[in-house]
Amino acid sequence: MMKIDYAGGPSDCRDMMGYALSVDETIVSGIGQYFLNEYIDSGEYDRHVKVVRSEYSARLDLLCSELDKIADKGITYQKPAGGLLLWCTLADDINERELCKLAEEKGVLVMPGWVFYKNCNRKKGHLRMCFSNVTHDEICRGITLLGEALDECRQQKIVKDREEK
């Protein structure tokens, strides 16, 4: 069986439908296997992998370059050799939960690291950034806004510390 779709409408609705359909695609039918085999044998698969690697490598390089611009705000990272995620470490005076909240208010979604740990109460001070589904412009704008959120997060801590004294 082969499925072909087309959908029109608001982009958020289309994206949600696309995600729901991708979840359904857990097996490849016989004819799908045939088409996949032809795609691989034709060399198109290898060409596509080169294009994808180049694009994601460029996004990673850009993300790291933009993060370097805000490193003095309390965020560091170790550049991975590949993949679609970048893990960042926050300075001790930055509350990752508050930072994620402030960033989200600015339209930037970053994942707090604690949600990925088995014992999330003990692990903190990390962010996970995914760059697979953002443009180069969105990376630049997102890191600028993240830098603003880092400043606000630190300022809130200073005010809170003063109030506690």
Side-chain angles (χ1 to χ4, degrees):
M1 181 162 118
M2 184 176 184
K3 299 177 192 176
I4 298 175
D5 305 84
Y6 179 82
S11 62
D12 57 339
C13 182
R14 287 192 323 259
D15 292 345
M16 197 178 327
M17 287 178 8
Y19 176 74
L21 288 170
S22 70
V23 169
D24 182 53
E25 298 297 323
T26 57
I27 61 169
V28 179
S29 66
I31 194 158
Q33 291 175 29
Y34 172 79
F35 286 132
L36 181 59
N37 188 62
E38 289 298 311
Y39 183 66
I40 291 169
D41 284 349
S42 73
E44 286 300 315
Y45 175 77
D46 289 332
R47 285 189 281 282
H48 180 69
V49 167
K50 287 177 185 171
V51 169
V52 168
R53 281 184 181 156
S54 176
E55 176 58 31
Y56 288 136
S57 179
R59 288 184 199 181
L60 175 61
D61 290 345
L62 177 61
L63 178 58
C64 292
S65 173
E66 292 299 307
L67 282 169
D68 289 344
K69 294 177 184 176
I70 64 167
D72 63 327
K73 298 179 185 287
I75 188 166
T76 60
Y77 65 91
Q78 213 169 9
K79 187 176 179 180
L84 302 173
L85 303 169
L86 181 69
W87 280 89
C88 298
T89 301
L90 301 171
D92 291 338
D93 63 334
I94 297 173
N95 180 311
E96 76 184 50
R97 292 174 192 231
E98 187 61 30
L99 175 61
C100 290
K101 179 181 162 199
L102 291 167
E104 186 175 7
E105 289 171 2
K106 295 178 178 298
V108 178
L109 183 61
V110 290
M111 293 300 297
W114 64 268
V115 301
F116 299 99
Y117 295 117
K118 183 177 178 182
N119 186 348
C120 62
N121 293 327
R122 293 179 49 211
K123 301 285 188 178
K124 58 185 177 180
H126 299 99
L127 296 179
R128 190 185 86 160
M129 295 185 196
C130 179
F131 53 89
S132 66
N133 199 25
V134 290
T135 66
H136 292 245
D137 289 341
E138 289 171 328
I139 289 171
C140 294
R141 180 78 176 131
I143 297 303
T144 298
L145 293 171
L146 182 63
E148 292 174 11
L150 282 160
D151 288 339
E152 290 174 28
C153 194
R154 278 201 158 140
Q155 187 60 38
Q156 286 180 3
K157 181 168 181 2
I158 291 169
V159 169
K160 183 179 175 186
D161 289 348
R162 283 186 190 148
E163 290 173 355
E164 290 176 358
K165 288 183 181 181

